[in-house]
């Protein structure tokens, strides 16, 4: 039985970050992955989805051209097969880049086999076993598909299959309108596919603020119909698949399932090991070290599943890798930031409306509508609303949810402000160019600042005697 210091199961974004950290300290490690290699993000996730969305948004722009005096927009058409070729061509570039980064170590350290744990220190690889002092589980996740729907074969599309399609179906039911379903459902509708959306969760694109959920629901319904009910049944008919939800039936050529993803921890033999679990039978993972209890196992990335997005998977892998070869260190998490690349973009930053409400935080909401916002008018993109949540007592920025044109950028400003612990008055003293979409953020901050209790600076600009931006957090911490 081969013995290594560290074994990493999964060569996705989390596993690759873990490997980089481990390799700084020891060469006696293995990475186990039975493929396909190239990471979920580059192969079937973040990257190909963004290419498809880009094409769809570019095509959608034709509706605004006549208003701008540009003729011929209504003559444009989509060649679906060519779109899919383009998606795959760029996808292949991203995958190639990931794989060429891996090339220096795969020959010596990669074992292309499926792993299963025999014990806390031993991994079964079918025809051999590996003993490891530490094991990092970074096995990712897979789309959730109800067993009863498996019979529909090719008519059932998930994100593992979507980007492989030679062309796109004419009529599609999209089941689930969280981040992935909303982004891709809208893109497919914009490419001219007859899309029918189904969801039982009002949290479109991950929004938790009820008024923003309603706003987005109305906006998206202008592009494709949404049934806010669970799908009761799908039946094959002569014309395709009949999808029924809440007594409403539509016939489509295929069903795109976007009902969430399940961590790949159920096929690893973990259930047979003595590992700590909570009341819901979830593994107890230290959120600062990513170690499972005091076992030699670490869990990172989508396999952990608390923050199933790319930069968090990389962080978790990096922390687990570092800790596997050093004494366990506790690391802080970054300020939460999640973006849905719908149009307009959706983002949830810091503490969500739901988190603040559930923890009974005393907060005010600063609001702005992008309908009538100067630069949004120029862009013919006057849709959206931004809510920033601020501590009523001290003006600290707690979180935000937004639907905004190019909101991905505004979301970063907010995440950085929250991370730097800049309060609402300090944020207002920072520069806002004119005319930019960020001026909308300033309006929302002003609205929030007006509701904060207590003293406030006389003007938004700092006085000569005022401490520099960023000092407030230190003063608050001292008092
Ligand atoms: C359509 C879509 C769009 C997305 N868009 C975004 C986005 O815009 N932004 C963003 O931040 N995130 C996005 N994500 C999420 C992001 O892709 C994931 O959070 C991230 O890729 C997770 O990385 P990971 O390392 O945990 O898993 P993965 O990259 O899936 O790696 C897991 C690896 O483990 C291997 N494996 C599994 N089980 C075993 C086993 N038993 N033995 C050996 N090997 C095994 C697999 O082969 C795989 O290579 C998107 C996801 C999808 C599906």
């Amino acid at each position: 039985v081969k013995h290594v210091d560290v074994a990493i199961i999964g060569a996705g974004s989390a596993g690759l970050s873990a490997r980089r950290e481990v390799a700084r300290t020891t060469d006696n490690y293995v990475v186990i992955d039975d493929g396909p290699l190239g990471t979920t993000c580059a192969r079937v996730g973040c990257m190909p989805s963004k290419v498809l969305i880009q094409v769809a948004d570019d095509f959608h722009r034709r509706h605004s051209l006549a208003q701008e005096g540009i003729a011929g927009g209504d003559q444009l058409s989509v060649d679906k097969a060519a779109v899919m070729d383009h998606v795959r061509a760029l996808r292949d570039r991203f995958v190639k880049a990931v794989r060429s980064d891996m090339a220096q170590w795969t020959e010596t350290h990669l074992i292309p086999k499926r792993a299963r744990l025999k014990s806390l220190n031993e991994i079964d690889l079918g025809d051999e076993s590996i003993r490891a002092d530490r094991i990092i589980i970074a096995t990712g996740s897979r789309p959730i598909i109800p067993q009863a729907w498996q019979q529909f074969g090719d008519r059932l599309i998930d994100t593992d299959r979507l980007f492989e399609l030679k062309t796109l179906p004419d009529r599609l039911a999209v089941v689930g309108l969280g981040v992935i379903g909303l982004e891709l459902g809208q893109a497919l509708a914009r490419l001219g596919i007859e899309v029918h959306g189904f969801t039982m969760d009002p949290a479109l694109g991950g929004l938790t603020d009820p008024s923003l959920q309603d706003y987005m629901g109305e906006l998206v319904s202008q592009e494709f119909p949404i049934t806010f009910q669970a799908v009761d049944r799908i039946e094959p008919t002569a014309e395709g698949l009949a999808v029924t939800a809440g007594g409403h039936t539509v016939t489509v050529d295929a069903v795109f399932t976007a009902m969430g993803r399940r961590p790949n921890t159920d096929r690893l033999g973990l259930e047979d090991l003595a590992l700590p679990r909570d009341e819901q039978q979830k593994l107890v993972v230290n959120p600062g070290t990513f170690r499972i209890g005091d076992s030699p196992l670490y869990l990172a990335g989508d396999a952990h599943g608390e923050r199933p997005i790319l930069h968090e998977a990389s962080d978790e892998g990096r922390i687990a890798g570092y800790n596997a070869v050093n004494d366990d260190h506790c690391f802080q998490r970054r300020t939460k930031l999640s973006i849905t690349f719908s149009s307009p973009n959706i983002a949830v930053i810091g503490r969500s409306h739901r988190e603040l409400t559930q923890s009974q935080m005393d907060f005010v909401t600063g609001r702005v509508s992008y309908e009538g916002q100067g630069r949004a008018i120029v862009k013919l993109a006057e849709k959206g609303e931004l809510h920033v949540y601020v501590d009523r007592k001290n003006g600290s920025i707690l979180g935000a949810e937004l639907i905004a044109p190019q909101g991905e950028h505004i979301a970063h400003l907010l995440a950085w402000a929250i991370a730097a612990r800049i309060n609402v008055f300090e944020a207002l003293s920072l520069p806002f160019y004119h005319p930019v979409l960020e001026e909308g953020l300033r309006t929302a901050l002003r609205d929030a600042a007006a509701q904060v209790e207590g003293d406030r600076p006389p003007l938004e600009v700092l006085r000569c005697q005022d401490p520099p931006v960023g000092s407030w957090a230190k003063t608050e911490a001292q008092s």
Side-chain angles (χ1 to χ4, degrees), residues 20 35 73 95 99 170 197 220 253 267 326 331 352 377 431 458:
R20 219 168 294 128
V95 171
R99 295 201 57 167
D170 293 330
V220 178
D253 301 308
R267 299 164 175 174
N326 293 288
F331 290 87
S352 69
I377 297 175

Side-chain angles (χ1 to χ4, degrees), residues 9-14 32-36 39-41 44-46 49-50 113-115 138-140 159 180 261 268 301-302 308-310 313 341:
I9 310 177
S13 304
I32 304 161
D33 196 314
D34 59 341
T39 75
T40 289
C41 179
V44 291
C46 332
S49 63
K50 296 316 91 78
K113 292 182 185 167
R114 176 139 289 251
T139 45
T159 47
I180 293 173
R261 296 177 65 86
L268 282 172
D302 279 18
I309 47 180
L310 188 274
F341 294 90

Side-chain angles (χ1 to χ4, degrees), residues 414-443:
L414 276 159
W416 288 29
I418 294 169
R421 304 192 55 210
I422 293 169
N423 78 7
V424 69
F425 303 109
E426 290 178 308
L428 282 167
S429 78
L430 295 168
F432 289 85
Y433 206 77
H434 177 72
V436 293
L437 294 164
E438 286 76 4
E439 286 174 299
L441 169 60
R442 182 173 59 188
T443 307

Side-chain angles (χ1 to χ4, degrees), residues 5 51 159 208 221 224 249 251 259 333 391 413 442-443:
D5 295 334
V51 182
T159 47
T208 77
S221 300
F224 61 87
T249 302
T251 299
M259 300 157 75
R333 301 313 305 267
D391 190 312
L413 291 183
R442 182 173 59 188
T443 307

